[in-house]
Amino acid sequence: MEKLLKEWRQDAMNKHQYESAIYIGDKLLALTNDADDAFFLAQVHFSSGNYTRAQSFLTKHNLFEHNAACRYLGAYCHIKQSRFDDALNILGEKTPNHLISTSGNVRRKLQHTSGDVRNGSLKVEKATGRPDHIERSEERDRENASDIKYEAALCYLRGICYAKKNAVDRAKECYKDAVRIDVQCFEAFDQLMKNYLMSPDEEWAFLESLDFDSIFTEDNNTSQEAAQFAKMLYTTRLSKYKNPTDFNNATESLSTHYNLASNPDLLLSKANLLFIQCRFKQALAITTSILDSDEYNFSIYPIHLACLHELNQTNTLFLLAHRLADLHPEEPSTWLAVGIYYLSISQTADARRFFMKAYTMDPHFGAAWIGFAHTFAAEGEHDQAISAYSSAARLFQGTHLPQLFLGMQNLQLNNMTLAHEYLLAAHEICQTDPLLLNELGVVFYHQDMLSDAVVMFNRALSIAADIDSDPRSWIPTRANLGHAYRRQRHWEAALTEFEEVLRQGGGETGIFCAKGLVLMEMNKTLEAVCALHEALAMGPQDPVATDLLNRALDEHTAQQGREDEERPMDEFDDEIRQRIAERRGGRKSNGKVRMGRVSEVGEDSMMVESDDE
């Protein structure tokens, strides 16, 4: 009869017929009075959403002391009811450090112990003459393999509780302990990655500290392959600002050897890398292909929506936001989409309202917090923007973006000291973001630390080239480098940078003015006149270009002397027109980076120095 009832109960569970499973499970428990049957019935109550009943059932049958699995389920019931202090009372605050395995010497020792791991009856034989002292690795071996996994899961739940109580540092340590104890506890690893709880350096160091060799397979010959496979999967989730070669190697191996080329998670990692490289069209193509096959994969939407915003595809944003609002109003990504749409059409008040709704539904939704702060920045409300970015910096300590945006806000307020501090704090977290290096260069430029500014601008351009970023996105950085060279009186270097800016499509009035000014300093007055004529062609009413052109004409006339004064004016005008025609061509506007423009040193500073010089 017991066998019949167990099969009946399991069949009901397989069909998600929870009422049947509860009814039959109750009768089975009356027959056996077994703790395992009681725990199974509590799991059925939990799966059906009856968290209070499941909690009461566990308490009634005193199952919390039975094993780690019962404590896990009881704590999870409290978490589902938002009773985090009660959950912590069950979980405790002590981490089982003896179970943490980080050494490469501890290699699948569970395989060499006698006993049935799957049935949870692990037996360890004590060798003759073995000392009574038990090392940490040996203590781990004595633990039931299933209990080890549940102890890791308890650490994960402990991290969830601390995160809900905004104790971010303690939550981070609990998540890390969970993965150290059981490297297959992906839920904890996912929390660390998606909530940006570690810096890029910390992420890669943490990955190297994990004991992937502890992954157990029935076939010993495949254990090493399983370890490498898991490590490659985890590698694709790490920050894309560091070690792009390792990331590419991992994705290539997973795509070719394990047929994961079209896997959504792998494609999302590639899209993230492309977004960091400012290759928004390619990233959007990947996210669109994922959503075409699975439009309810909500992990894709933050990067997909950011790409749509960067490419100014407001119609697509409008349609997508409406569809999500109709079908999935319970998802934070829905209101993120609505907020980004309103931000794209410059209705910042409405955008702010929906960003707020998104992060209210999920207080750890980083994209919503950053979008909320961007709405204040777009309106020039720098103080409120700084407050919002500060909240994001407190919640997401592993990402440099809040600190970067705080530095940019203070830079706009001309608070160079504070801007410098925030940008240095961001630089400690991430040293390989070209946008951050550009902003630091701008601060050094305004602080008259020109050598440091040149180093930062060059590093930004070098890293942008290393990650294969779109060169047009870094036109302002190259222009900034040209201005820094100009102030250092390195005329040839400055002229080279300005020429490269113009070649890449940065044909703005200020660039032509800067080029003309450099040419004047090099005593190439005729070429300066041509450049300044092109500046006036771009902006006919520009006072800076007009003033510089008058100076250039005066200097050219003075250089030519009497012989040039006798030269026919028509011939002089023809030569100028010919040179302008040779240099003129269609030029494109600057790209955008992460919902904001790269900072530029500006024309005002250029003209102040030109007057002094």
Side-chain angles (χ1 to χ4, degrees):
M1 181 60 69
E2 292 179 13
K3 181 179 180 182
L4 172 65
L5 292 178
K6 287 183 178 180
E7 291 176 352
W8 191 350
R9 179 187 66 181
Q10 188 60 50
D11 181 66
M13 281 294 292
N14 293 340
K15 297 175 181 177
H16 303 285
Q17 296 176 353
Y18 299 120
E19 290 301 322
S20 298
I22 291 171
Y23 182 79
I24 301 302
D26 179 64
K27 306 307 177 288
L28 179 62
L29 179 60
L31 284 175
T32 63
N33 196 30
D34 186 80
D36 290 339
D37 292 328
F39 177 63
F40 193 99
L41 188 54
Q43 286 183 306
V44 178
H45 286 307
F46 183 89
S47 299
S48 63
N50 297 324
Y51 307 121
T52 305
R53 190 176 181 185
Q55 178 68 40
S56 174
F57 194 85
L58 290 167
T59 304
K60 178 182 176 181
H61 290 81
N62 195 27
L63 296 177
F64 290 127
E65 302 301 326
H66 183 64
N67 57 27
C70 294
R71 287 192 291 129
Y72 174 83
L73 184 61
Y76 214 162
C77 289
H78 283 305
I79 291 174
K80 288 293 186 180
Q81 300 171 73
S82 300
R83 295 160 56 182
F84 305 113
D85 289 329
D86 292 335
L88 284 173
N89 288 335
I90 295 176
L91 296 168
E93 298 187 4
K94 184 178 179 181
T95 300
N97 292 321
H98 66 284
L99 298 180
I100 293 177
S101 175
T102 58
S103 173
N105 296 325
V106 182
R107 294 196 174 213
R108 301 183 299 279
K109 288 191 177 181
L110 290 175
Q111 302 173 34
H112 307 296
T113 57
S114 61
D116 187 354
V117 174
R118 287 173 294 176
N119 293 331
S121 57
L122 185 68
K123 297 178 182 178
V124 180
E125 298 179 357
K126 188 173 181 180
T128 304
R130 187 186 183 99
D132 293 333
H133 177 68
I134 300 177
E135 299 294 338
R136 173 177 293 187
S137 61
E138 296 171 350
E139 287 187 72
R140 177 184 172 91
D141 292 345
R142 291 176 183 273
E143 292 284 341
N144 185 304
S146 177
D147 285 344
I148 289 177
K149 291 185 176 296
Y150 271 108
E151 288 292 346
L154 291 175
C155 289
Y156 162 69
L157 290 187
R158 198 176 294 120
I160 291 290
C161 292
Y162 286 133
K164 294 294 185 181
K165 294 162 67 70
N166 287 328
V168 180
D169 290 333
R170 301 187 71 178
K172 169 185 170 181
E173 292 305 316
C174 289
Y175 293 143
K176 291 173 70 174
D177 289 339
V179 186
R180 289 188 185 116
I181 293 172
D182 177 18
V183 75
Q184 293 174 271
C185 187
F186 178 76
E187 291 280 345
F189 184 80
D190 186 50
Q191 290 293 325
L192 288 169
M193 296 302 110
K194 74 179 184 181
N195 291 324
Y196 305 104
L197 297 182
M198 294 190 291
S199 67
D201 287 331
E202 285 181 307
E203 289 179 6
W204 285 92
F206 179 65
L207 180 75
E208 293 301 322
S209 72
L210 297 179
D211 183 22
F212 289 96
D213 289 327
S214 64
I215 296 177
F216 173 78
T217 60
E218 293 183 358
D219 184 1
N220 291 338
N221 295 328
T222 63
S223 295
Q224 188 64 30
E225 181 183 2
Q228 290 298 322
F229 178 77
K231 186 172 183 178
M232 287 189 293
L233 285 178
Y234 282 21
T235 298
T236 63
R237 296 298 305 274
L238 302 185
S239 171
K240 309 303 183 295
Y241 286 105
K242 283 186 68 69
N243 302 331
T245 303
D246 292 344
F247 170 79
N248 290 329
N249 292 338
T251 54
E252 182 67 23
S253 296
L254 291 170
S255 299
T256 56
H257 299 147
Y258 299 99
N259 197 30
L260 294 178
S262 58
N263 181 264
D265 292 320
L266 211 60
L267 290 175
L268 177 60
S269 295
K270 293 180 180 179
N272 275 316
L273 178 61
L274 290 170
F275 185 82
I276 288 174
Q277 294 171 346
C278 303
R279 296 160 68 182
F280 304 120
K281 288 184 178 179
Q282 295 93 320
L284 181 61
I286 291 177
T287 57
T288 301
S289 68
I290 299 173
L291 293 175
D292 286 342
S293 60
D294 183 10
E295 65 175 310
Y296 306 115
N297 189 340
F298 291 101
S299 63
I300 308 297
Y301 279 103
I303 188 72
H304 182 69
L305 295 168
C307 290
L308 291 173
H309 171 80
E310 292 290 348
L311 296 172
N312 200 31
Q313 296 190 16
T314 54
N315 289 339
T316 305
L317 277 170
F318 176 82
L319 295 173
L320 180 59
H322 262 282
R323 181 173 178 78
L324 290 174
D326 289 339
L327 297 177
H328 299 284
E330 76 284 355
E331 287 290 336
S333 294
T334 295
W335 307 112
L336 175 69
V338 178
I340 289 178
Y341 166 71
Y342 280 117
L343 184 63
S344 297
I345 61 174
S346 301
Q347 294 188 18
T348 52
D350 291 326
R352 185 179 306 123
R353 180 161 56 91
F354 288 108
F355 284 136
M356 188 184 302
K357 185 172 183 177
Y359 76 67
T360 300
M361 296 175 70
D362 181 4
H364 296 277
F365 195 12
W369 276 101
I370 295 297
F372 177 72
H374 280 336
T375 59
F376 291 115
E379 291 180 340
E381 298 288 345
H382 299 297
D383 291 339
Q384 291 175 292
I386 287 173
S387 176
Y389 286 131
S390 298
S391 298
R394 177 176 55 82
L395 290 172
F396 311 107
Q397 300 177 6
T399 176
H400 68 292
L401 292 179
Q403 303 284 358
L404 168 61
F405 293 134
L406 283 167
M408 293 172 72
Q409 289 300 306
N410 281 283
L411 184 58
Q412 292 184 35
L413 290 171
N414 206 31
N415 293 332
M416 293 302 161
T417 303
L418 282 176
H420 192 192
E421 291 179 4
Y422 280 120
L423 292 173
L424 285 180
H427 190 258
E428 290 179 2
I429 298 174
C430 178
Q431 295 84 33
T432 53
D433 183 0
L435 177 60
L436 170 59
L437 296 174
N438 174 79
E439 301 303 316
L440 272 172
V442 173
V443 170
F444 288 142
Y445 180 94
H446 287 292
Q447 292 178 333
D448 294 329
M449 300 166 64
L450 299 179
S451 297
D452 293 333
V454 168
V455 170
M456 287 300 170
F457 292 141
N458 275 315
R459 281 184 58 196
L461 293 171
S462 176
I463 292 174
D466 289 341
I467 63 175
D468 197 22
S469 182
D470 186 352
R472 289 173 297 179
S473 298
W474 305 105
I475 288 175
T477 302
R478 192 170 294 280
N480 292 344
L481 178 59
H483 284 298
Y485 280 138
R486 178 184 56 80
R487 286 190 59 190
Q488 287 183 318
R489 297 181 176 272
H490 297 165
W491 310 122
E492 291 290 346
L495 183 60
T496 300
E497 297 303 328
F498 291 135
E499 290 283 5
E500 182 65 18
V501 169
L502 295 173
R503 189 187 66 80
Q504 292 180 359
E508 294 184 349
T509 303
I511 301 300
F512 283 113
C513 289
K515 178 183 174 182
L517 182 59
V518 170
L519 289 168
M520 290 170 62
E521 294 290 351
M522 298 172 69
N523 293 321
K524 297 181 179 180
T525 52
L526 183 58
E527 293 184 32
V529 168
C530 295
L532 294 167
H533 267 295
E534 292 193 71
L536 286 173
M538 301 290 295
Q541 305 300 322
D542 188 273
V544 175
T546 302
D547 180 62
L548 284 176
L549 178 60
N550 291 332
R551 295 188 187 187
L553 289 170
D554 290 342
E555 289 185 15
H556 182 76
T557 303
Q559 286 179 2
Q560 295 300 313
R562 183 182 302 274
E563 186 175 325
D564 283 338
E565 289 178 3
E566 296 175 355
R567 185 179 181 183
M569 200 62 185
D570 292 340
E571 182 180 342
F572 179 68
D573 291 341
D574 290 341
E575 185 174 352
I576 291 178
R577 291 192 192 97
Q578 181 180 356
R579 295 207 180 197
I580 293 174
E582 291 173 354
R583 289 169 172 77
R584 183 166 297 168
R587 292 176 170 96
K588 300 177 182 179
S589 60
N590 292 332
K592 295 190 295 182
V593 177
R594 285 190 218 94
M595 302 175 73
R597 293 192 60 178
V598 179
S599 294
E600 299 180 78
V601 296
E603 293 181 25
D604 293 340
S605 62
M606 175 189 71
M607 288 315 302
V608 169
E609 282 117 34
S610 68
D611 290 340
D612 293 339
E613 293 164 2

